[in-house]
Amino acid sequence: MNLTGRQLINGTDSSEGNHTFQAVNPSDGTALPIKFYSATTSEVDQACQAASEAFAAMQKLPFERRAAFLEAIADEIMALGDALGDRYCAESGLPRPRFEGERGRTCAQLRMFASVVRDGSFLEPRIDHADPDRAPMPKPDVRTMMQPLGPAVVFGASNFPLAFSTAGGDTASALAAGCPVIVKAHPAHPGTAELVGRAVLAAAKLTSMPDGVFALLHDDGYEMAQQLVQNCAVKAVGFTGSFRGGRALFDICAARDEPIPVYAEMGSVNPVFVLPGALKERSEAIANGLAGSVLMGTGQFCTCPGMVFGSGSEFGQFCNTVKQGLSGKDAGVMLHQGIKKSFEAGIEMLKEAGAIPSSTEQPDHLTQASGVVFEVPGDRYLQGEAFQEEVFGPSTLLIDCSSRDQMLEAAEGLGGHLTATIHGTEQDLADNSDLVDLLVQKAGRVIFNGFPTGVEVCHAMVHGGPYPATTDSRTTSVGTMAINRFVRPVCYQDFPDAALPEPLKEANPLNLLRLVDGVRRRTP
């Protein structure tokens, strides 16, 4: 499959514009082959119009076709073989095992959502039968199910070229819901995006989906993205990236004549609390595990543990072990120069706020970064808002609290996070139930005796959290509940059975589990 650098719109290639850009290998700074065309205003409009037309056509297709489409995408991605792996590694600087793991996750997500479509439980069908003899007023026949929102825009993430990009979780969940998808490819890995985009189009052709069901647009700036989310055909947005980028999209979409939901995952500092019992029993093991979690992927995960709270003399030794675990490790490659610059700026921010770094040296390289540990006493932490800002990269902040009460005060002051972690014993949990209750209010996933990096793709997973971690704490971007972002409830009152959608027909032809007159059952 040859790269062209063109937009993929309505099942065909397009390159109306003159502006081009190239991907750069972050390992050595060399420009990679193929120039990519930035999408024009006309191409944005074409993609949105095609998606609108495809949306109408998709509503007439059986659910099995939708499921088969998702499975075919996974098959076509696997069929790309080494071509995809070579481009992925060249554009991201990530190692081959990371590619293989992320490809597996991407395909597993697609197949998982295919099973969700076949199961049909996401439709949440409810039926309340009529009672014409009810007094003082007759009761109407009322039936409700989830319906897709409409065309969705998905922004590719810099740190996950596959799993949170072209055919990643946002795309998979939106397609599963019945929403056509327009992907804005990340400019750091446009070749990877095009290869996967062509796999999606091949799958669409194999399963006879409407041409506009998927589009891929390129640009290395911000103007096209604004035009895209302002188009009246777009009904929802999925985004994984920085707070600044996610908030900007949220504000733009809120200011539209028709505001639309923006499901933005904007990063997190992911606080960790190490309690006294755990420090006494396994301080060294926790410290070494924490160091490994911080260094994983050169710290370029939104679940990197960026702050650690503890108290007492054992916590001082714990901090020394963490510093030893990060020292002397080889520098890692960051995804692009912009991330390295932001990481260095974050280091300076923490230093200016009063945190003491374990090292002040960073590699003299455009994209390489070394792990760094910061320390700050609890009272100083409570005085500085900067300590809660995410530093995207291999760093963590160790906060030595003077007492349990001070640790609890720090927890109360936390903003929203994707995760919060507690290391302790069962007795620690009993003694700190108030801390647990607080963290449940602050994070989408609360972890006991583990580390936040590594997000399991499963039905029960929540990858979300209160603002500013996300723009909507009621949702998740990982796991099958992610489909709920792209549907809305629609009620049918007093419709004849023949005119109802299949999930609401009296005979239950899809054999769905439905709430009928307040009782869950599959029987007609």
Side-chain angles (χ1 to χ4, degrees), residues 7 55 60 79 99 104 161 168 186 197 199 220 254 264 278 309 353 372 376 402 433 448 455:
Q7 326 307 325
F55 177 64
K60 301 175 182 179
F99 157 72
H186 196 282
D220 62 345
F309 297 89
V372 57
V376 68
S402 61
S433 60
F448 183 59
V455 180

Side-chain angles (χ1 to χ4, degrees), residues 292-342:
S293 185
V294 170
L295 292 174
M296 184 182 295
T298 320
Q300 297 170 112
F301 292 113
C302 49
T303 52
C304 181
M307 60 168 66
V308 185
F309 297 89
S311 182
S313 57
E314 290 93 349
F315 188 66
Q317 181 56 48
F318 170 86
C319 293
N320 290 332
T321 307
V322 174
K323 288 187 286 187
Q324 292 169 9
L326 266 72
S327 65
K329 297 294 191 294
D330 292 338
V333 176
M334 305 200 87
L335 292 158
H336 54 77
Q337 295 178 27
I339 290 181
K340 170 66 181 293
K341 290 179 180 178
S342 294

Side-chain angles (χ1 to χ4, degrees), residues 156-179:
S158 64
N159 60 336
F160 279 90
L162 294 177
F164 277 95
S165 291
T166 308
D170 288 347
T171 296
S173 54
L175 290 175
C179 300

Side-chain angles (χ1 to χ4, degrees), residues 397-413:
L397 174 66
L398 307 178
I399 301 108
D400 190 354
C401 297
S402 61
S403 64
R404 177 188 178 279
D405 287 344
Q406 191 177 75
M407 184 185 294
L408 201 63
E409 182 181 356
E412 289 176 341

